[in-house]
Amino acid sequence: MLTKAEIQLYRSLGDKRERDTHGLFVAEGAKLVGEIVASPLRVVRLLTTSNFPGAEVISAKEMERISQLKTPTDTFAVVEKPLYNIGEANPQNNLVLALDGVQNPGNVGTIIRLADWFGISDIVCSADSADCFNPKVVQATMGAILRVRVHYTNLADYFKKLPAETPIYGTFLEGENLYSAKVENSGIIVMGSEGRGVSAEVGQQVTNKLYIPPYPADNHNSESLNVAIATAIICAEFRRAK
C-alpha cells in the first residue's frame, strides 16, 4: 500500500521542477517499463496492478492516483534520470538534431523516436524546449528515450564553440530546395519552434538554409508543416543522400 507522501511524490513528477529536484521521472505501460528494466537506467520503484515481474502489486485505485495518463495502465516505474555530457554529441562525424524552442511534448517525443529510427544518437535542445522527461514526451518516444541522448543548453552559444567547418542546417522559406541541395551525413540539423520557426539568434549561426517545397511548387494551401513531420522528411533525405 502506498503512503500519502509517496503518492504526492509520484504525482509531483509531472512537474519539471520536481523531476529536476528529485532526479526522477516516471514511465507507464508494461512494454515501455519492460524496456527500461532491461536498460542500464536505475528503476527506483516498480509498481503494477497485475503480474509484472519484480513489481510491487498495488490496487487499481492507487494506480489511478499516481498515473500521469488519462487512462492508467497496469505498470508504473519511477526511474532515475540519466546524466549526459553534451560533449558526447559529435557533429563532426555524425548527424545531431537541434530543437530550438520546440515546446509541444508530443512533437518532442516523436522527434526523439525519429532520431532513434534514423540512427541519430544526440539531440541538443534550447532551454525553452519541452523537457524530454515530461511524462507525455516519455510516452511518445515509445522507448527511444533510452537510446537517444537529449541535452539542454543555449544553442547559439553551443554553435559558436563548434569548429568553424561544422555544417549547421536549418529550414527557412528562403532556403535551398531540400531535394536538390547537397547535404552531408554529419553536422547539425536545426528544427525551429511550432510558431516562430528558428529564432533570429540561432538563425545567424545556420550555414546551410534548406526549404521543404510543397507539391506542386505553387501550392500554398497549408501555412507550414508540423515540426515532427518536417523532421521526418529532412532526416529521410539526409539518410537517402548517404
Side-chain angles (χ1 to χ4, degrees):
M1 183 173 179
L2 297 177
T3 66
K4 184 177 179 181
E6 289 169 339
I7 291 171
Q8 288 178 336
L9 171 61
Y10 301 157
R11 286 294 301 168
S12 76
L13 295 177
D15 184 87
K16 183 180 185 303
R17 287 172 296 182
E18 295 297 323
R19 291 194 296 274
D20 289 345
T21 297
H22 297 285
L24 302 171
F25 72 98
V26 299
E28 302 184 54
K31 184 177 185 301
L32 174 58
V33 172
E35 288 192 58
I36 290 175
V37 169
S39 79
L41 297 189
R42 177 173 172 260
V43 177
V44 175
R45 193 84 182 267
L46 189 57
L47 304 167
T48 188
T49 58
S50 58
N51 189 29
F52 192 90
E56 303 170 52
V57 178
I58 60 173
S59 69
K61 186 65 176 178
E62 287 177 305
M63 184 65 78
E64 186 178 333
R65 293 182 69 184
I66 63 175
S67 176
Q68 305 285 342
L69 305 176
K70 288 183 179 179
T71 304
T73 66
D74 62 357
T75 311
F76 183 100
V78 182
V79 189
E80 193 173 88
K81 288 171 57 178
L83 298 176
Y84 299 126
N85 185 336
I86 199 168
E88 295 175 288
N90 183 6
Q92 283 72 56
N93 297 313
N94 305 289
L95 277 179
V96 172
L97 279 175
L99 304 187
D100 182 19
V102 179
Q103 298 178 338
N104 181 281
N107 283 337
V108 171
T110 300
I111 290 171
I112 293 171
R113 190 177 176 187
L114 285 166
D116 187 37
W117 182 263
F118 286 108
I120 297 173
S121 299
D122 292 276
I123 300 177
V124 181
C125 303
S126 62
D128 59 344
S129 293
D131 178 27
C132 66
F133 296 110
N134 177 309
K136 292 181 180 178
V137 176
V138 173
Q139 294 302 125
T141 70
M142 300 293 287
I145 191 70
L146 304 174
R147 295 176 291 275
V148 177
R149 297 182 292 261
V150 184
H151 317 269
Y152 289 83
T153 190
N154 181 298
L155 287 182
D157 289 346
Y158 170 69
F159 292 160
K160 289 174 184 176
K161 295 174 183 177
L162 295 173
E165 66 274 13
T166 305
I168 301 175
Y169 301 90
T171 52
F172 295 82
L173 291 176
E174 69 275 19
E176 183 181 359
N177 187 315
L178 172 66
Y179 303 120
S180 57
K182 179 176 173 54
V183 297
E184 304 291 340
N185 261 278
S186 62
I188 294 178
I189 302 171
V190 184
M191 303 306 300
S193 76
E194 295 87 347
R196 60 172 169 76
V198 177
S199 65
E201 185 181 22
V202 170
Q204 291 175 358
Q205 309 297 319
V206 172
T207 60
N208 301 69
K209 293 185 176 182
L210 302 172
Y211 174 60
I212 302 173
Y215 184 85
D218 58 352
N219 177 16
H220 297 288
N221 291 337
S222 295
E223 182 181 341
S224 62
L225 284 173
N226 170 276
V227 64
I229 292 174
T231 302
I233 293 170
I234 289 175
C235 288
E237 188 63 18
F238 269 72
R239 290 313 192 200
R240 187 189 70 82
K242 185 173 182 181

PDB file of all heavy atoms in Angstrom, residues 81-111:
ATOM      1  N   LYS A  81      16.818   9.773 -13.472  1.00  0.00           N
ATOM      2  CA  LYS A  81      17.151  10.445 -14.732  1.00  0.00           C
ATOM      3  C   LYS A  81      18.622  10.217 -15.085  1.00  0.00           C
ATOM      4  O   LYS A  81      19.492  10.373 -14.230  1.00  0.00           O
ATOM      5  CB  LYS A  81      16.893  11.949 -14.618  1.00  0.00           C
ATOM      6  CG  LYS A  81      15.445  12.358 -14.595  1.00  0.00           C
ATOM      7  CD  LYS A  81      15.280  13.830 -14.256  1.00  0.00           C
ATOM      8  CE  LYS A  81      16.051  14.718 -15.220  1.00  0.00           C
ATOM      9  NZ  LYS A  81      15.838  16.153 -14.902  1.00  0.00           N
ATOM     10  N   PRO A  82      18.922   9.865 -16.327  1.00  0.00           N
ATOM     11  CA  PRO A  82      20.325   9.717 -16.724  1.00  0.00           C
ATOM     12  C   PRO A  82      20.981  11.082 -16.877  1.00  0.00           C
ATOM     13  O   PRO A  82      20.310  12.076 -17.194  1.00  0.00           O
ATOM     14  CB  PRO A  82      20.232   8.999 -18.078  1.00  0.00           C
ATOM     15  CG  PRO A  82      18.901   9.426 -18.620  1.00  0.00           C
ATOM     16  CD  PRO A  82      17.992   9.556 -17.429  1.00  0.00           C
ATOM     17  N   LEU A  83      22.272  11.144 -16.647  1.00  0.00           N
ATOM     18  CA  LEU A  83      23.033  12.386 -16.823  1.00  0.00           C
ATOM     19  C   LEU A  83      23.954  12.221 -18.021  1.00  0.00           C
ATOM     20  O   LEU A  83      24.753  11.279 -18.078  1.00  0.00           O
ATOM     21  CB  LEU A  83      23.851  12.691 -15.561  1.00  0.00           C
ATOM     22  CG  LEU A  83      23.049  12.937 -14.275  1.00  0.00           C
ATOM     23  CD1 LEU A  83      23.991  13.132 -13.092  1.00  0.00           C
ATOM     24  CD2 LEU A  83      22.130  14.141 -14.444  1.00  0.00           C
ATOM     25  N   TYR A  84      23.837  13.140 -18.985  1.00  0.00           N
ATOM     26  CA  TYR A  84      24.647  13.063 -20.203  1.00  0.00           C
ATOM     27  C   TYR A  84      25.579  14.264 -20.297  1.00  0.00           C
ATOM     28  O   TYR A  84      25.263  15.358 -19.829  1.00  0.00           O
ATOM     29  CB  TYR A  84      23.752  13.024 -21.445  1.00  0.00           C
ATOM     30  CG  TYR A  84      22.815  11.845 -21.508  1.00  0.00           C
ATOM     31  CD1 TYR A  84      21.443  12.028 -21.678  1.00  0.00           C
ATOM     32  CD2 TYR A  84      23.287  10.546 -21.397  1.00  0.00           C
ATOM     33  CE1 TYR A  84      20.572  10.951 -21.752  1.00  0.00           C
ATOM     34  CE2 TYR A  84      22.420   9.456 -21.458  1.00  0.00           C
ATOM     35  CZ  TYR A  84      21.076   9.673 -21.633  1.00  0.00           C
ATOM     36  OH  TYR A  84      20.214   8.602 -21.691  1.00  0.00           O
ATOM     37  N   ASN A  85      26.704  14.049 -20.931  1.00  0.00           N
ATOM     38  CA  ASN A  85      27.666  15.120 -21.211  1.00  0.00           C
ATOM     39  C   ASN A  85      27.439  15.598 -22.634  1.00  0.00           C
ATOM     40  O   ASN A  85      27.480  14.787 -23.568  1.00  0.00           O
ATOM     41  CB  ASN A  85      29.091  14.579 -21.031  1.00  0.00           C
ATOM     42  CG  ASN A  85      30.142  15.659 -21.191  1.00  0.00           C
ATOM     43  OD1 ASN A  85      29.921  16.683 -21.835  1.00  0.00           O
ATOM     44  ND2 ASN A  85      31.305  15.427 -20.608  1.00  0.00           N
ATOM     45  N   ILE A  86      27.218  16.904 -22.822  1.00  0.00           N
ATOM     46  CA  ILE A  86      26.952  17.408 -24.162  1.00  0.00           C
ATOM     47  C   ILE A  86      28.140  17.178 -25.100  1.00  0.00           C
ATOM     48  O   ILE A  86      27.989  17.167 -26.319  1.00  0.00           O
ATOM     49  CB  ILE A  86      26.583  18.913 -24.111  1.00  0.00           C
ATOM     50  CG1 ILE A  86      25.859  19.319 -25.397  1.00  0.00           C
ATOM     51  CG2 ILE A  86      27.804  19.767 -23.832  1.00  0.00           C
ATOM     52  CD1 ILE A  86      25.214  20.680 -25.339  1.00  0.00           C
ATOM     53  N   GLY A  87      29.296  16.922 -24.512  1.00  0.00           N
ATOM     54  CA  GLY A  87      30.459  16.603 -25.325  1.00  0.00           C
ATOM     55  C   GLY A  87      30.309  15.280 -26.067  1.00  0.00           C
ATOM     56  O   GLY A  87      31.046  15.007 -27.021  1.00  0.00           O
ATOM     57  N   GLU A  88      29.339  14.454 -25.658  1.00  0.00           N
ATOM     58  CA  GLU A  88      29.079  13.196 -26.352  1.00  0.00           C
ATOM     59  C   GLU A  88      28.469  13.429 -27.735  1.00  0.00           C
ATOM     60  O   GLU A  88      28.565  12.574 -28.614  1.00  0.00           O
ATOM     61  CB  GLU A  88      28.126  12.323 -25.524  1.00  0.00           C
ATOM     62  CG  GLU A  88      28.703  11.856 -24.197  1.00  0.00           C
ATOM     63  CD  GLU A  88      27.690  11.104 -23.357  1.00  0.00           C
ATOM     64  OE1 GLU A  88      26.765  11.740 -22.837  1.00  0.00           O
ATOM     65  OE2 GLU A  88      27.831   9.871 -23.223  1.00  0.00           O
ATOM     66  N   ALA A  89      27.829  14.577 -27.904  1.00  0.00           N
ATOM     67  CA  ALA A  89      27.283  14.930 -29.224  1.00  0.00           C
ATOM     68  C   ALA A  89      28.441  15.322 -30.125  1.00  0.00           C
ATOM     69  O   ALA A  89      29.213  16.225 -29.801  1.00  0.00           O
ATOM     70  CB  ALA A  89      26.287  16.078 -29.093  1.00  0.00           C
ATOM     71  N   ASN A  90      28.586  14.653 -31.260  1.00  0.00           N
ATOM     72  CA  ASN A  90      29.756  14.868 -32.114  1.00  0.00           C
ATOM     73  C   ASN A  90      29.334  15.160 -33.549  1.00  0.00           C
ATOM     74  O   ASN A  90      29.323  14.261 -34.395  1.00  0.00           O
ATOM     75  CB  ASN A  90      30.658  13.625 -32.057  1.00  0.00           C
ATOM     76  CG  ASN A  90      31.935  13.810 -32.861  1.00  0.00           C
ATOM     77  OD1 ASN A  90      32.215  14.898 -33.371  1.00  0.00           O
ATOM     78  ND2 ASN A  90      32.711  12.753 -32.982  1.00  0.00           N
ATOM     79  N   PRO A  91      28.974  16.423 -33.845  1.00  0.00           N
ATOM     80  CA  PRO A  91      28.515  16.748 -35.200  1.00  0.00           C
ATOM     81  C   PRO A  91      29.619  16.755 -36.254  1.00  0.00           C
ATOM     82  O   PRO A  91      29.336  16.935 -37.434  1.00  0.00           O
ATOM     83  CB  PRO A  91      27.907  18.146 -35.026  1.00  0.00           C
ATOM     84  CG  PRO A  91      28.628  18.727 -33.852  1.00  0.00           C
ATOM     85  CD  PRO A  91      28.904  17.575 -32.941  1.00  0.00           C
ATOM     86  N   GLN A  92      30.868  16.547 -35.830  1.00  0.00           N
ATOM     87  CA  GLN A  92      31.944  16.464 -36.819  1.00  0.00           C
ATOM     88  C   GLN A  92      31.900  15.123 -37.559  1.00  0.00           C
ATOM     89  O   GLN A  92      32.322  15.038 -38.718  1.00  0.00           O
ATOM     90  CB  GLN A  92      33.322  16.630 -36.157  1.00  0.00           C
ATOM     91  CG  GLN A  92      33.673  18.070 -35.800  1.00  0.00           C
ATOM     92  CD  GLN A  92      32.862  18.576 -34.627  1.00  0.00           C
ATOM     93  OE1 GLN A  92      32.866  17.988 -33.550  1.00  0.00           O
ATOM     94  NE2 GLN A  92      32.156  19.671 -34.825  1.00  0.00           N
ATOM     95  N   ASN A  93      31.387  14.103 -36.892  1.00  0.00           N
ATOM     96  CA  ASN A  93      31.369  12.773 -37.500  1.00  0.00           C
ATOM     97  C   ASN A  93      29.973  12.172 -37.642  1.00  0.00           C
ATOM     98  O   ASN A  93      29.807  11.147 -38.299  1.00  0.00           O
ATOM     99  CB  ASN A  93      32.232  11.805 -36.666  1.00  0.00           C
ATOM    100  CG  ASN A  93      33.690  12.221 -36.637  1.00  0.00           C
ATOM    101  OD1 ASN A  93      34.261  12.543 -37.668  1.00  0.00           O
ATOM    102  ND2 ASN A  93      34.278  12.239 -35.464  1.00  0.00           N
ATOM    103  N   ASN A  94      28.980  12.796 -37.033  1.00  0.00           N
ATOM    104  CA  ASN A  94      27.622  12.257 -37.048  1.00  0.00           C
ATOM    105  C   ASN A  94      26.597  13.375 -37.218  1.00  0.00           C
ATOM    106  O   ASN A  94      26.909  14.551 -37.031  1.00  0.00           O
ATOM    107  CB  ASN A  94      27.326  11.529 -35.724  1.00  0.00           C
ATOM    108  CG  ASN A  94      28.337  10.448 -35.416  1.00  0.00           C
ATOM    109  OD1 ASN A  94      28.356   9.414 -36.073  1.00  0.00           O
ATOM    110  ND2 ASN A  94      29.170  10.670 -34.414  1.00  0.00           N
ATOM    111  N   LEU A  95      25.385  12.996 -37.553  1.00  0.00           N
ATOM    112  CA  LEU A  95      24.291  13.958 -37.550  1.00  0.00           C
ATOM    113  C   LEU A  95      23.804  14.168 -36.126  1.00  0.00           C
ATOM    114  O   LEU A  95      23.669  13.207 -35.361  1.00  0.00           O
ATOM    115  CB  LEU A  95      23.126  13.469 -38.412  1.00  0.00           C
ATOM    116  CG  LEU A  95      23.204  13.705 -39.920  1.00  0.00           C
ATOM    117  CD1 LEU A  95      21.958  13.125 -40.592  1.00  0.00           C
ATOM    118  CD2 LEU A  95      23.341  15.189 -40.252  1.00  0.00           C
ATOM    119  N   VAL A  96      23.540  15.417 -35.792  1.00  0.00           N
ATOM    120  CA  VAL A  96      22.971  15.785 -34.500  1.00  0.00           C
ATOM    121  C   VAL A  96      21.749  16.653 -34.775  1.00  0.00           C
ATOM    122  O   VAL A  96      21.799  17.559 -35.604  1.00  0.00           O
ATOM    123  CB  VAL A  96      23.996  16.557 -33.640  1.00  0.00           C
ATOM    124  CG1 VAL A  96      23.340  17.104 -32.374  1.00  0.00           C
ATOM    125  CG2 VAL A  96      25.190  15.679 -33.288  1.00  0.00           C
ATOM    126  N   LEU A  97      20.645  16.377 -34.095  1.00  0.00           N
ATOM    127  CA  LEU A  97      19.470  17.231 -34.204  1.00  0.00           C
ATOM    128  C   LEU A  97      19.532  18.318 -33.138  1.00  0.00           C
ATOM    129  O   LEU A  97      20.017  18.088 -32.023  1.00  0.00           O
ATOM    130  CB  LEU A  97      18.190  16.422 -34.006  1.00  0.00           C
ATOM    131  CG  LEU A  97      17.654  15.630 -35.201  1.00  0.00           C
ATOM    132  CD1 LEU A  97      16.454  14.792 -34.761  1.00  0.00           C
ATOM    133  CD2 LEU A  97      17.262  16.554 -36.344  1.00  0.00           C
ATOM    134  N   ALA A  98      19.041  19.512 -33.477  1.00  0.00           N
ATOM    135  CA  ALA A  98      18.921  20.599 -32.511  1.00  0.00           C
ATOM    136  C   ALA A  98      17.489  21.109 -32.545  1.00  0.00           C
ATOM    137  O   ALA A  98      16.945  21.372 -33.616  1.00  0.00           O
ATOM    138  CB  ALA A  98      19.898  21.724 -32.831  1.00  0.00           C
ATOM    139  N   LEU A  99      16.869  21.246 -31.382  1.00  0.00           N
ATOM    140  CA  LEU A  99      15.497  21.737 -31.289  1.00  0.00           C
ATOM    141  C   LEU A  99      15.515  23.126 -30.658  1.00  0.00           C
ATOM    142  O   LEU A  99      15.967  23.299 -29.519  1.00  0.00           O
ATOM    143  CB  LEU A  99      14.640  20.789 -30.455  1.00  0.00           C
ATOM    144  CG  LEU A  99      14.592  19.329 -30.915  1.00  0.00           C
ATOM    145  CD1 LEU A  99      13.571  18.544 -30.094  1.00  0.00           C
ATOM    146  CD2 LEU A  99      14.273  19.231 -32.402  1.00  0.00           C
ATOM    147  N   ASP A 100      15.029  24.100 -31.408  1.00  0.00           N
ATOM    148  CA  ASP A 100      15.052  25.493 -30.989  1.00  0.00           C
ATOM    149  C   ASP A 100      13.643  25.922 -30.586  1.00  0.00           C
ATOM    150  O   ASP A 100      12.836  26.311 -31.415  1.00  0.00           O
ATOM    151  CB  ASP A 100      15.578  26.361 -32.144  1.00  0.00           C
ATOM    152  CG  ASP A 100      15.682  27.831 -31.776  1.00  0.00           C
ATOM    153  OD1 ASP A 100      15.700  28.156 -30.584  1.00  0.00           O
ATOM    154  OD2 ASP A 100      15.751  28.669 -32.703  1.00  0.00           O
ATOM    155  N   GLY A 101      13.339  25.808 -29.287  1.00  0.00           N
ATOM    156  CA  GLY A 101      12.049  26.252 -28.790  1.00  0.00           C
ATOM    157  C   GLY A 101      10.885  25.362 -29.178  1.00  0.00           C
ATOM    158  O   GLY A 101       9.759  25.846 -29.307  1.00  0.00           O
ATOM    159  N   VAL A 102      11.114  24.066 -29.382  1.00  0.00           N
ATOM    160  CA  VAL A 102      10.027  23.136 -29.699  1.00  0.00           C
ATOM    161  C   VAL A 102       9.360  22.750 -28.375  1.00  0.00           C
ATOM    162  O   VAL A 102       9.916  21.981 -27.592  1.00  0.00           O
ATOM    163  CB  VAL A 102      10.546  21.893 -30.445  1.00  0.00           C
ATOM    164  CG1 VAL A 102       9.400  20.931 -30.734  1.00  0.00           C
ATOM    165  CG2 VAL A 102      11.239  22.314 -31.743  1.00  0.00           C
ATOM    166  N   GLN A 103       8.189  23.285 -28.130  1.00  0.00           N
ATOM    167  CA  GLN A 103       7.579  23.200 -26.803  1.00  0.00           C
ATOM    168  C   GLN A 103       6.480  22.153 -26.670  1.00  0.00           C
ATOM    169  O   GLN A 103       6.082  21.814 -25.560  1.00  0.00           O
ATOM    170  CB  GLN A 103       7.031  24.573 -26.408  1.00  0.00           C
ATOM    171  CG  GLN A 103       8.130  25.633 -26.315  1.00  0.00           C
ATOM    172  CD  GLN A 103       7.582  27.006 -25.977  1.00  0.00           C
ATOM    173  OE1 GLN A 103       6.409  27.297 -26.200  1.00  0.00           O
ATOM    174  NE2 GLN A 103       8.438  27.864 -25.441  1.00  0.00           N
ATOM    175  N   ASN A 104       5.983  21.641 -27.779  1.00  0.00           N
ATOM    176  CA  ASN A 104       4.911  20.650 -27.700  1.00  0.00           C
ATOM    177  C   ASN A 104       5.485  19.292 -27.299  1.00  0.00           C
ATOM    178  O   ASN A 104       6.321  18.738 -28.013  1.00  0.00           O
ATOM    179  CB  ASN A 104       4.195  20.554 -29.046  1.00  0.00           C
ATOM    180  CG  ASN A 104       3.047  19.568 -29.020  1.00  0.00           C
ATOM    181  OD1 ASN A 104       3.261  18.363 -29.097  1.00  0.00           O
ATOM    182  ND2 ASN A 104       1.830  20.067 -28.922  1.00  0.00           N
ATOM    183  N   PRO A 105       5.068  18.722 -26.170  1.00  0.00           N
ATOM    184  CA  PRO A 105       5.644  17.444 -25.715  1.00  0.00           C
ATOM    185  C   PRO A 105       5.477  16.312 -26.719  1.00  0.00           C
ATOM    186  O   PRO A 105       6.389  15.496 -26.897  1.00  0.00           O
ATOM    187  CB  PRO A 105       4.871  17.153 -24.424  1.00  0.00           C
ATOM    188  CG  PRO A 105       4.403  18.483 -23.942  1.00  0.00           C
ATOM    189  CD  PRO A 105       4.099  19.262 -25.185  1.00  0.00           C
ATOM    190  N   GLY A 106       4.318  16.261 -27.382  1.00  0.00           N
ATOM    191  CA  GLY A 106       4.104  15.202 -28.362  1.00  0.00           C
ATOM    192  C   GLY A 106       5.080  15.291 -29.517  1.00  0.00           C
ATOM    193  O   GLY A 106       5.599  14.274 -29.995  1.00  0.00           O
ATOM    194  N   ASN A 107       5.352  16.515 -29.976  1.00  0.00           N
ATOM    195  CA  ASN A 107       6.309  16.703 -31.065  1.00  0.00           C
ATOM    196  C   ASN A 107       7.720  16.317 -30.631  1.00  0.00           C
ATOM    197  O   ASN A 107       8.454  15.655 -31.378  1.00  0.00           O
ATOM    198  CB  ASN A 107       6.290  18.147 -31.548  1.00  0.00           C
ATOM    199  CG  ASN A 107       5.102  18.464 -32.433  1.00  0.00           C
ATOM    200  OD1 ASN A 107       4.510  17.581 -33.044  1.00  0.00           O
ATOM    201  ND2 ASN A 107       4.739  19.728 -32.507  1.00  0.00           N
ATOM    202  N   VAL A 108       8.115  16.738 -29.431  1.00  0.00           N
ATOM    203  CA  VAL A 108       9.460  16.397 -28.947  1.00  0.00           C
ATOM    204  C   VAL A 108       9.600  14.887 -28.806  1.00  0.00           C
ATOM    205  O   VAL A 108      10.619  14.299 -29.217  1.00  0.00           O
ATOM    206  CB  VAL A 108       9.765  17.108 -27.612  1.00  0.00           C
ATOM    207  CG1 VAL A 108      11.073  16.583 -27.011  1.00  0.00           C
ATOM    208  CG2 VAL A 108       9.869  18.614 -27.825  1.00  0.00           C
ATOM    209  N   GLY A 109       8.589  14.229 -28.268  1.00  0.00           N
ATOM    210  CA  GLY A 109       8.651  12.775 -28.132  1.00  0.00           C
ATOM    211  C   GLY A 109       8.743  12.077 -29.476  1.00  0.00           C
ATOM    212  O   GLY A 109       9.517  11.130 -29.649  1.00  0.00           O
ATOM    213  N   THR A 110       7.964  12.560 -30.448  1.00  0.00           N
ATOM    214  CA  THR A 110       8.002  11.965 -31.789  1.00  0.00           C
ATOM    215  C   THR A 110       9.355  12.191 -32.439  1.00  0.00           C
ATOM    216  O   THR A 110       9.893  11.299 -33.119  1.00  0.00           O
ATOM    217  CB  THR A 110       6.887  12.564 -32.668  1.00  0.00           C
ATOM    218  OG1 THR A 110       5.623  12.294 -32.054  1.00  0.00           O
ATOM    219  CG2 THR A 110       6.908  11.960 -34.065  1.00  0.00           C
ATOM    220  N   ILE A 111       9.946  13.371 -32.240  1.00  0.00           N
ATOM    221  CA  ILE A 111      11.262  13.667 -32.823  1.00  0.00           C
ATOM    222  C   ILE A 111      12.337  12.764 -32.208  1.00  0.00           C
ATOM    223  O   ILE A 111      13.242  12.290 -32.906  1.00  0.00           O
ATOM    224  CB  ILE A 111      11.607  15.160 -32.656  1.00  0.00           C
ATOM    225  CG1 ILE A 111      10.700  15.995 -33.573  1.00  0.00           C
ATOM    226  CG2 ILE A 111      13.079  15.423 -32.975  1.00  0.00           C
ATOM    227  CD1 ILE A 111      10.787  17.489 -33.338  1.00  0.00           C
TER     228      ILE A 111
END
